[in-house]
Amino acid sequence: MPKILIVGGGYAGFYTAWKLEKSLRRGEAEVTMIDPLPYMTYQPFLPEVAAGAIDPRYAIVNHRRHLKTTKLISGRATYINHAEKKVTVTPVVGEPFDVEYDQVVVTAGAVSRTFPIPGVADLAYGMKNIEEAVAVRDRLITNFDKAAVLPKGDALRERLLTVTVVGGGFAGIEAYGELRSAASALLKTYPEIDFDETKFHLVEAMGRIMPEVSLETSHWVVNRLAERGAPIHLDTQLKSATGGVVELSNGDSFESDLIVWTAGVMANPTVTRNTDLPIEARGRVTTNASLRVIDTEGVVIEGAWAAGDVAAVPDLTGAGVGGFCVPNAQHAVRQAKRIASNLIAVLRGEDPVDYIHKSLGAVAGLGLYDGVFQSGKTAIKGFPAWLMHRGYHGLAMPSWERKWRVIFGWLGNFFLGRDFATLAAVQTPRANFEEFASRPKPPAPAAEAPAAPAAPAEATPAAQKSAAAEKAEARAE
């Protein structure tokens, strides 16, 4: 059977495998997927996970539960050698090995793109995976616990209650709005803390936020968040975050114990820097509109495909930045389904079809019961937009098993409130056990052995003569 190898198990990778399983005939092809994680993360839910509105487990999709016939390899693809049609895999445990293929689909996704700003690499959290969202939630709640026992006006208390988000795109605005909403909800259980003590800052280098919506709508979002105690610094850059001291280009400076970085993404460098496939200037795999990898002359490289954030896919609608599809979930899911269909078409001797998708609009949640939707010149704001946001993403979550878990979680929160239980100590699960665990006593030091008696010294010749003389005198007497 032809061997199809999918590199990456995120949005595009998971949906490609899922679609292939549903569409391939029995025995038509063998599908393998490589990913170091056993699950796909539904990234639009990360802000709600950070805000305690969704259980972290419900924002992921387990590979082995939902991919029934795909062979799964837990490891990292460390080199794609298309000339020899094999991928080097470094597994979670064990030695690296090679996997051969006939068709490769590169869907390795993206990572946070940062700049060499002092302190960011040491202190900031990203918002690209479930682990980061959980860590942000736990940090926010733990900081409230710590601040509640400190006196008002204390410098450390102010630092603990200050949150900074860098980046005013959709990811940044949603994270910012959800964290502000979560902090407001936390105040109900922390009477020691006043609303005015919680400080929120969003830093955006551009003169506006959310370029996917109209300028008027973006202004409404800025004003809406400011009304809720979450101001936005426009035309402002982060200069330093060393030691948690945030310094901005507008001259402002303050201490912040929680810094979230959402200022852009870049193609996964682990894959794009370790392959003989063509890579364009921004570090993405180059493809044509049918999602087949092409070289610099536009010639198709047989047996190679790419989709999602790791790929530079032409946007045939003309709406994309620089002529390419923007890196978002809408495109990743639809490109994956198109790749699966095109792969099957090629296997059956048919021609692939170009990918084209015109966005129907953009929707964002700004915290509980608040949101914004934009489609063309039509904008919907507030509670109706929030319902649309939840409705869209609730239905977009893959598999009904996941959908129902998310929906029931939302219903539970509606009646019972958010679950703000923090499990920060899970990062060091053996700390308490080690502190009180009994250990064997160290062996007692060995006693020193007694000194051996000295051997008698041999008599000298003079002494021997003296002794003989004494014996002779004794006999004479």
Side-chain angles (χ1 to χ4, degrees), residues 354-419:
D354 286 348
Y355 169 76
I356 181 169
H357 169 67
K358 184 175 182 180
S359 175
L360 299 178
V363 62
L366 304 177
L368 197 60
Y369 307 133
D370 207 0
V372 61
F373 169 80
Q374 181 85 47
S375 179
K377 295 182 179 180
T378 302
I380 300 174
K381 306 161 187 174
F383 181 71
W386 177 80
L387 286 177
M388 295 172 68
H389 173 265
R390 284 211 161 175
Y392 171 78
H393 286 298
L395 293 175
M397 187 72 175
S399 87
W400 279 103
E401 178 261 338
R402 292 282 106 178
K403 288 180 174 64
W404 284 121
R405 290 185 188 276
V406 171
I407 292 170
F408 283 134
W410 281 335
L411 290 173
N413 286 348
F414 178 77
F415 290 105
L416 304 174
R418 304 181 200 230
D419 185 355

Side-chain angles (χ1 to χ4, degrees), residues 465-475:
K465 289 180 180 180
S466 175
E470 289 178 358
K471 289 179 179 180
E473 288 179 1
R475 284 196 299 269

Side-chain angles (χ1 to χ4, degrees), residues 81-255:
N81 184 349
H82 192 64
E84 299 181 15
K85 289 197 171 181
K86 63 182 181 181
V87 172
T88 300
V89 179
T90 301
V92 177
V93 294
E95 297 298 320
F97 58 90
D98 292 336
V99 179
E100 296 181 349
Y101 63 83
D102 297 299
Q103 304 279 341
V104 66
V105 182
V106 184
T107 57
V111 298
S112 295
R113 181 192 64 184
T114 59
F115 306 102
I117 300 172
V120 169
D122 302 316
L123 300 174
Y125 294 88
M127 194 59 72
K128 285 292 294 176
N129 57 55
I130 196 70
E131 294 82 4
E132 290 172 328
V134 172
V136 168
R137 183 200 65 180
D138 287 347
R139 187 64 170 262
L140 179 70
I141 300 169
T142 301
N143 282 358
F144 267 65
D145 285 332
K146 294 177 180 178
V149 299
L150 296 173
K152 291 186 178 182
D154 184 270
L156 179 56
R157 178 182 173 112
E158 294 179 0
R159 174 190 173 113
L160 291 169
L161 297 176
T162 301
V163 176
T164 304
V165 176
V166 183
F170 258 73
I173 292 298
E174 287 194 303
Y176 193 53
E178 290 289 352
L179 288 173
R180 174 66 269 184
S181 178
S184 298
L186 277 169
L187 291 172
K188 299 175 183 178
T189 54
Y190 288 88
E192 306 93 337
I193 301 174
D194 297 330
F195 178 89
D196 292 339
E197 291 185 275
T198 57
K199 305 295 182 182
F200 278 73
H201 302 272
L202 186 138
V203 182
E204 170 53 46
M206 304 290 288
R208 60 162 298 175
I209 60 169
M210 304 171 72
E212 297 87 348
V213 304
S214 69
L215 186 61
E216 179 185 356
T217 301
S218 73
H219 288 165
W220 179 87
V221 173
V222 171
N223 294 331
R224 184 73 161 184
L225 289 171
E227 292 171 359
R228 291 167 45 195
I232 295 176
H233 305 269
L234 297 175
D235 290 315
T236 306
Q237 296 179 1
L238 176 64
K239 293 178 60 179
S240 175
T242 302
V245 179
V246 175
E247 297 181 10
L248 306 180
S249 60
N250 62 6
D252 289 351
S253 178
F254 50 86
E255 291 192 41

Side-chain angles (χ1 to χ4, degrees), residues 65 68 80 171 231 285:
R65 173 160 186 169
K68 305 298 185 182
I80 301 176
V285 181

